[in-house]
Amino acid sequence: MLILIILAFLVIAYLDAPKLWQKKYWRELAVMGIVWSLGLALSLALALNLPVPSPAKLLARVFGPVTEWLLRLIG
Amino acid sequence: MREEGYISPRQAAVLLWFAVLPTAILFLPALLALRAHQDAWLSVIVATLAAGAVALVVYLLAQRFPHHTLFQYCELILGPVTGKTVALIFVLAFFLLDAVVIREFSEFLVTAVMPETPALFFSLSIVAVAVYAARNGLEVIARCTDFILPLMVTFIAIVLLFATPEMAPRNLLPILENGFRPVLGGALVSWSFLGQIFILAAYGAFVNPPRALRASLISGLLGIAFFLSLVTMGTILVFGSCEAARLTFAAYALARVVSLGQFFERIEALFLAIWVGGVFIKITINLYVVALGLATVTGLKEYRPLVAPLGALNVAMATLLYRNISEIRHDLLLVEPGWTLTWQLILPLFLLVMAWLRGKRRTGI
Amino acid sequence: MKARLRLALALLLLALMLPVLAGCWSRHEIEELAIVMAVALDAVPGDQVRLSVYVAIPRTIAGGPSMGGGGGGEPPKAGEVISATGSDFAQAARRLESLVPRRLLWAQNRVLILGEELARQGLHYLDLFTRERQMRLTTPVLITMGEARKVLELPPGIELMPGTILTGILRNRTTFKVELKDLLAMWEAPGDNPVLPQVVMTPTPEQESREVRSDGEDKGQKGAYKEEGKKTPPEAVAIKGAGAFRDDRLIGWLDERETNGLMWLRGEVREGVITVTLSIQTGGNYPGQEQGQKMGQTITPDQGQGQPAGPVEGQGQNPSQNQARARTQGQASVIFHRASTEVKPRVEGSQVTFNVEIRGNCDLTEATVSLNPDRPEHLLAIQEAVNRAVEERVLAAVRKAQQEIRADIFGLGETLHRSNVRYWRQVQDRWNEEFTRAKIQVKVDLYLNRLGMTNRTPGKTLDIGGKGATQGSTR
């Protein structure tokens, strides 16, 4: 699984990175690198069953009460 | 950054349909039946009126900043720092929305069709295709709809038409049994789907001619309301409100009851194929907007290199977001309304007010 | 170098996709499937349930029904009945899979048959059949007295499979049809209670033939067959009558007449035949002989018997009244293709009254009583008898529901719910109780307006007018 994930991310990197490097688009390369490494890190963490908090939980904590308030507002 | 293509107002409207309908017809009718019982279809209409507010805000913003995307005028209105922050919030919101859609998609396929296949496989394969399409730009996505739209419309029409023998008009009565409150509660739930027409703020800049944006918004919203209320009504008519609320996947259940004579039945496989096409567009357009937004915020010349990593991150996020379908339903009912109201109406409204106060507008290119 | 790397990568990708692209992930070849054609659900002692399935044997189906048989004379069975017990149906289904050399495919299931005992315990066992993705909400549901499994062991007739036989009968619309989703809707609606059409085995198997297995485990098909072999196997099935529920529990049974009344009241009647017994008091005159003597020769509806029972007591009096003359007593049958039922609830104080209006058109299809339909009043008499018969049936069903079942099996509560929400709120929670006190008034307006291909009943005219009599009447 881990190998497959790393392989997949290498393929993704190979799609665009060399071209960006050639064109000297450093900014693009940096942003892409960040997103890419975030993705890799998250995927690996999930594959290794590390406890990653779900953003849905965060949203639920903040906007759950908002929705509840809205529901109370209308009925 | 600029995108080099243009889409016609008609395509913009159709893209709006695809940005809302695919997951909405599957999940929404049952949730609405839960909230509003037999008046679920009224909820859709009320929510459409509410979504009209979003459309209005999107339109007014687009009037002030023609040829500018949402992410661009965030900066123009609020200045570089706050503007970028707000734009980043929008990017994140679209990103999360996309992840939710991917998750809903794979969850449905695993539950209803192929329980032995891992969900990851479905999300991976649809995102791979979506990445490919999104890298080709908005024009290509818009042209994809030209292929899928007739299929989708025909199929919804076929399902609704051929399910009529199973329908009982009395299931819709009594109207407004418990007054307007359940309807409003349902409207709040359907709002979180209908509010997604806000996505037009992100790609509306590429509609040519720009003043036709109003027509796209109106026909987009009306089309969504039309199909959504028809499917909701069909579900209630066939199953009754009690049973409809028990369904997990309303439109799919509707496709399964179709039986004409003894030969035209079991058309759910067809439904599946077409629905997957619709969801593909929905995921693609969201992915495209996320990549475009991120590129704008970080000041890149190209959004293309971001698409594939974002797609990968999205798959991981979709896996992470929820543990099970019950959490999705809980979120759709009790979290999404507040969240979508905030970023699809309040935040844009705030932008509009700020633009008006600061007298910011940009005419011409 | 670069081009070669690209090629290598592309090839690697292709190789990786190969197992996926073949679409063989969760593939099930048809040769590996055991296709379930009918399902029977029973309760067995010890809080267990028994799931019996009728699995098609592909060989016999492929051979065609007429080809098979061979020397044995007995038509080959197109399938096998397999059953397993468990504490719930999911467990039983899993055990079932340990008895079959193939994977069970439920998607083609034609019919769901509930056994009496299970139905008395409650419908909540049906959850599996709505939750499992292969199951269809459009599957017809039937109920049977005694064991449901017996129905599956029906020998093949015109159709090979019991499932096909039952759905075929249902398609004839002699009785009402309840699909799984309708059943759930009836159960879940607050002003409604489920009713299910009943399968009857003819000759009816004795009720006490329910084998009691103390260990709760089924011995599989063979064990059951040995026990079965001693009795005469049931020859055929009929779908008639109905099982009536209060909430989710079976309470009682409706007979054929009451079921018919129920169908009228529920507005489920699509087509059907109604037979009434008539007597003609002609005073020696054949109807149609003379125009002037209308008063002496009216046809009066008899007691409006609904059953097409052969010789009724009326026929016994026949010879004494008229010898070798026109048959003054007999039956008339009408067929109708379209009928509508309208229920209007009315609330006065705490008294709920349901005004039921039944409307429709019917055609005369058989008359064994001598009549001359050219005379409108004869048709009117038949029409009146038909209306009375329908009314009787409806009232019989109402009596049964109010007095024995004590549950609103007609969904009248829902019509009240739709029309008078405020009052409904008050009685909602105790509707079944309230229902037993409700007044139900039936008004039947069925119009007899077609005669079919002939007019006068056949036979010698035997009256003074001779051959001219019929012509005379049309004057």
Side-chain angles (χ1 to χ4, degrees):
Chain A
M1 189 67 191
L2 290 180
I3 297 167
L4 277 179
I5 289 175
I6 292 168
L7 208 67
F9 274 89
L10 283 179
V11 170
I12 289 168
Y14 178 74
L15 278 179
D16 289 300
K19 249 182 276 166
L20 294 178
W21 187 277
Q22 270 171 5
K23 285 200 221 163
K24 298 191 166 54
Y25 278 16
W26 306 123
R27 219 185 157 84
E28 276 78 357
L29 210 56
V31 176
M32 182 189 158
I34 292 169
V35 176
W36 185 84
S37 25
L38 267 177
L40 183 60
L42 187 58
S43 306
L44 288 178
L46 287 174
L48 292 170
N49 279 323
L50 296 181
V52 192
S54 157
K57 288 271 164 1
L58 188 76
L59 274 186
R61 184 144 332 140
V62 180
F63 290 97
V66 175
T67 311
E68 229 165 79
W69 177 78
L70 280 170
L71 279 173
R72 233 176 303 131
L73 198 71
I74 56 171
Chain B
M1 60 143 289
R2 278 232 46 83
E3 152 86 21
E4 52 273 17
Y6 281 107
I7 57 172
S8 71
R10 187 186 63 82
Q11 284 174 321
V14 172
L15 272 177
L16 267 191
W17 293 9
F18 277 101
V20 175
L21 283 176
T23 45
I25 57 167
L26 200 64
F27 285 89
L28 195 52
L31 296 175
L32 282 181
L34 196 67
R35 275 284 155 79
H37 309 292
Q38 61 270 38
D39 297 327
W41 59 281
L42 278 175
S43 288
V44 175
I45 290 166
V46 173
T48 307
L49 296 179
V54 181
L56 189 67
V57 171
V58 169
Y59 176 67
L60 289 176
L61 280 170
Q63 284 305 100
R64 281 183 170 263
F65 305 97
H67 300 290
H68 285 73
T69 65
L70 166 72
F71 312 105
Q72 286 168 323
Y73 56 66
C74 272
E75 243 178 287
L76 289 175
I77 295 168
L78 299 168
V81 182
T82 351
K84 274 196 196 305
T85 320
V86 172
L88 203 60
I89 292 176
F90 281 127
V91 172
L92 270 177
F94 278 118
F95 176 76
L96 274 179
L97 175 63
D98 203 24
V100 172
V101 174
I102 294 168
R103 181 58 186 265
E104 285 169 348
F105 164 78
S106 51
E107 205 65 44
F108 164 62
L109 283 188
V110 172
T111 312
V113 197
M114 291 176 241
E116 290 147 57
T117 314
L120 185 64
F121 179 76
F122 293 116
S123 38
L124 261 182
S125 43
I126 194 129
V127 169
V129 187
V131 163
Y132 177 69
R135 279 167 65 91
N136 280 306
L138 189 61
E139 267 187 14
V140 171
I141 305 172
R143 258 178 270 136
C144 283
T145 62
D146 286 344
F147 169 64
I148 298 171
L149 179 77
L151 289 177
M152 186 120 149
V153 170
T154 319
F155 197 71
I156 292 182
I158 284 179
V159 167
L160 287 172
L161 197 68
F162 291 159
T164 40
E166 303 279 342
M167 293 182 183
R170 58 167 185 260
N171 282 341
L172 286 183
L173 298 171
I175 292 175
L176 292 179
E177 181 188 359
N178 298 308
F180 244 104
R181 291 190 159 176
V183 176
L184 288 179
L188 205 60
V189 179
S190 39
W191 153 269
S192 57
F193 282 93
L194 282 167
Q196 287 165 19
I197 58 158
F198 177 63
I199 200 170
L200 192 67
Y203 72 78
F206 313 124
V207 175
N208 195 29
R211 66 197 134 68
L213 203 65
R214 187 168 59 177
S216 331
L217 269 170
I218 293 174
S219 51
L221 190 57
L222 288 184
I224 292 165
F226 178 71
F227 284 113
L228 201 51
S229 49
L230 269 189
V231 172
T232 310
M233 215 188 262
T235 313
I236 305 263
L237 280 170
V238 169
F239 295 102
S241 61
C242 296
E243 189 54 21
R246 260 168 39 84
L247 299 169
T248 318
F249 308 111
Y252 187 64
L254 203 56
R256 275 166 68 99
V257 303
V258 168
S259 168
L260 194 69
Q262 291 288 304
F263 56 96
F264 191 77
E265 49 184 13
R266 298 173 194 256
I267 54 173
E268 67 262 22
L270 213 59
F271 168 86
L272 219 68
I274 292 162
W275 183 80
V276 168
V279 172
F280 153 70
I281 303 273
K282 181 162 183 170
I283 292 173
T284 307
I285 184 82
N286 276 306
L287 189 61
Y288 167 81
V289 165
V290 173
L292 189 73
L294 192 60
T296 315
V297 173
T298 49
L300 306 187
K301 297 183 213 64
E302 273 264 16
Y303 76 92
R304 269 164 244 273
L306 297 180
V307 176
L310 276 173
L313 185 59
N314 235 337
V315 173
M317 185 56 83
T319 320
L320 170 69
L321 267 180
Y322 303 108
R323 267 196 311 253
N324 50 42
I325 199 159
S326 165
E327 285 189 0
I328 299 180
R329 281 173 64 92
H330 172 266
D331 260 26
L332 287 178
L333 277 172
L334 293 172
V335 180
E336 290 281 314
W339 163 234
T340 46
L341 193 72
T342 310
W343 74 270
Q344 289 168 350
L345 184 61
I346 312 268
L347 212 51
L349 202 61
F350 167 71
L351 278 181
L352 184 64
V353 171
M354 288 307 281
W356 179 66
L357 284 180
R358 295 189 174 185
K360 288 274 166 70
R361 63 164 65 237
R362 204 48 76 87
T363 39
I365 301 174
Chain C
M1 172 60 207
K2 187 139 187 252
R4 204 170 284 173
L5 188 68
R6 211 162 243 271
L7 188 72
L9 205 79
L11 281 178
L12 182 72
L13 218 67
L14 274 180
L16 277 176
M17 282 170 121
L18 206 59
V20 175
L21 281 178
C24 300
W25 195 300
S26 18
R27 128 205 97 106
H28 294 299
E29 299 292 335
I30 192 153
E31 302 90 62
E32 297 164 4
L33 293 173
I35 301 168
V36 174
M37 301 295 285
V39 174
L41 312 176
D42 281 305
V44 288
D47 254 351
Q48 298 249 309
V49 290
R50 184 174 61 196
L51 175 64
S52 314
V53 295
Y54 188 92
V55 176
I57 301 173
R59 267 170 291 126
T60 30
I61 308 175
S66 53
M67 309 287 191
E74 196 166 302
K77 289 203 81 172
E80 249 186 55
V81 183
I82 311 160
S83 41
T85 53
S87 53
D88 68 352
F89 283 114
Q91 197 184 35
R94 196 66 192 139
R95 287 198 184 148
L96 215 51
E97 293 196 319
S98 69
L99 299 173
V100 194
R102 298 178 173 201
R103 265 200 105 75
L104 289 176
L105 178 83
W106 299 87
Q108 294 288 330
N109 180 22
R110 291 289 143 84
V111 67
L112 211 57
I113 305 159
L114 299 184
E116 183 180 1
E117 205 46 52
L118 187 81
R120 288 197 191 276
Q121 288 179 15
L123 288 173
H124 51 273
Y125 279 116
L126 286 179
D127 189 58
L128 173 73
F129 300 91
T130 65
R131 199 174 293 282
E132 224 281 337
R133 67 184 181 89
Q134 292 187 352
M135 310 291 184
R136 280 172 181 275
L137 286 172
T138 46
T139 317
V141 188
L142 298 166
I143 193 168
T144 187
M145 270 191 196
E147 268 194 14
R149 186 199 151 110
K150 289 272 184 308
V151 182
L152 296 189
E153 279 156 6
L154 183 77
I158 295 178
E159 298 281 357
L160 283 173
M161 318 258 186
T164 326
I165 295 174
L166 293 171
T167 42
I169 295 176
L170 282 175
R171 217 172 303 139
N172 288 346
R173 290 183 169 163
T174 52
T175 185
F176 62 115
K177 180 178 169 188
V178 174
E179 292 176 353
L180 192 48
K181 66 176 167 56
D182 307 328
L183 172 63
L184 291 160
M186 283 192 269
W187 174 17
E188 282 159 13
D192 205 344
N193 288 283
V195 264
L196 288 177
Q198 180 193 358
V199 199
V200 180
M201 311 284 284
T202 47
T204 324
E206 306 88 327
Q207 287 268 114
E208 55 272 15
S209 72
R210 237 178 282 152
E211 311 113 283
V212 178
R213 289 198 180 79
S214 49
D215 57 351
E217 279 292 330
D218 199 292
K219 297 289 185 297
Q221 197 201 353
K222 288 215 178 91
Y225 257 48
K226 270 174 208 154
E227 290 168 21
E228 213 83 336
K230 297 166 198 156
K231 300 180 215 122
T232 45
E235 291 299 318
V237 285
I239 301 180
K240 56 184 185 184
F245 289 66
R246 192 189 304 138
D247 284 334
D248 67 331
R249 268 146 221 269
L250 178 73
I251 299 296
W253 303 92
L254 305 187
D255 65 20
E256 215 177 329
R257 217 159 85 86
E258 289 156 352
T259 305
N260 202 262
L262 171 105
M263 286 162 65
W264 282 105
L265 202 45
R266 270 193 175 269
E268 295 271 350
V269 173
R270 296 276 145 67
E271 57 180 65
V273 170
I274 287 189
T275 307
V276 289
T277 309
L278 294 167
S279 69
I280 307 170
Q281 273 121 40
T282 52
N285 283 328
Y286 175 72
Q289 183 192 18
E290 276 178 303
Q291 300 270 357
Q293 287 187 323
K294 273 179 195 169
M295 301 309 287
Q297 42 171 279
T298 44
I299 301 179
T300 53
D302 216 22
Q303 66 270 40
Q305 265 301 335
Q307 262 121 350
V312 283
E313 71 276 11
Q315 240 137 18
Q317 299 159 7
N318 247 355
S320 63
Q321 280 188 356
N322 51 308
Q323 306 87 350
R325 308 205 85 208
R327 291 161 53 83
T328 56
Q329 285 218 308
Q331 290 163 4
S333 292
V334 295
I335 185 166
F336 50 90
H337 303 283
R338 214 165 285 120
S340 70
T341 307
E342 201 182 342
V343 181
K344 283 198 194 117
R346 207 177 62 231
V347 181
E348 281 157 354
S350 63
Q351 175 64 51
V352 190
T353 312
F354 292 98
N355 285 316
V356 182
E357 269 183 58
I358 294 169
R359 264 187 231 99
N361 295 315
C362 47
D363 309 351
L364 187 66
T365 175
E366 184 179 9
T368 55
V369 62
S370 286
L371 63 95
N372 187 345
D374 292 342
R375 308 275 302 264
E377 68 268 20
H378 295 179
L379 283 192
L380 277 178
I382 296 177
Q383 180 179 310
E384 196 183 320
V386 167
N387 283 345
R388 279 258 300 269
V390 171
E391 189 182 334
E392 290 253 330
R393 293 174 190 204
V394 172
L395 289 178
V398 167
R399 259 195 309 280
K400 182 81 159 224
Q402 285 190 328
Q403 287 161 16
E404 276 179 53
I405 316 283
R406 303 186 71 80
D408 176 13
I409 50 174
F410 310 111
L412 292 176
E414 280 303 296
T415 63
L416 179 66
H417 180 184
R418 273 176 227 122
S419 69
N420 193 339
V421 174
R422 199 169 305 157
Y423 184 74
W424 172 247
R425 289 268 171 70
Q426 297 169 23
V427 295
Q428 189 172 14
D429 300 326
R430 50 189 166 88
W431 170 244
N432 278 339
E433 199 183 307
E434 201 72 20
F435 165 75
T436 57
R437 266 178 294 163
K439 229 186 263 169
I440 294 162
Q441 284 168 351
V442 188
K443 187 162 163 265
V444 187
D445 273 326
L446 286 173
Y447 290 103
L448 176 58
N449 44 14
R450 270 178 211 94
L451 294 175
M453 305 294 278
T454 50
N455 49 66
R456 197 177 60 78
T457 42
K460 290 194 175 68
T461 43
L462 286 179
D463 52 55
I464 311 151
K467 280 182 183 172
T470 32
Q471 286 148 18
S473 70
T474 49
R475 231 187 279 129

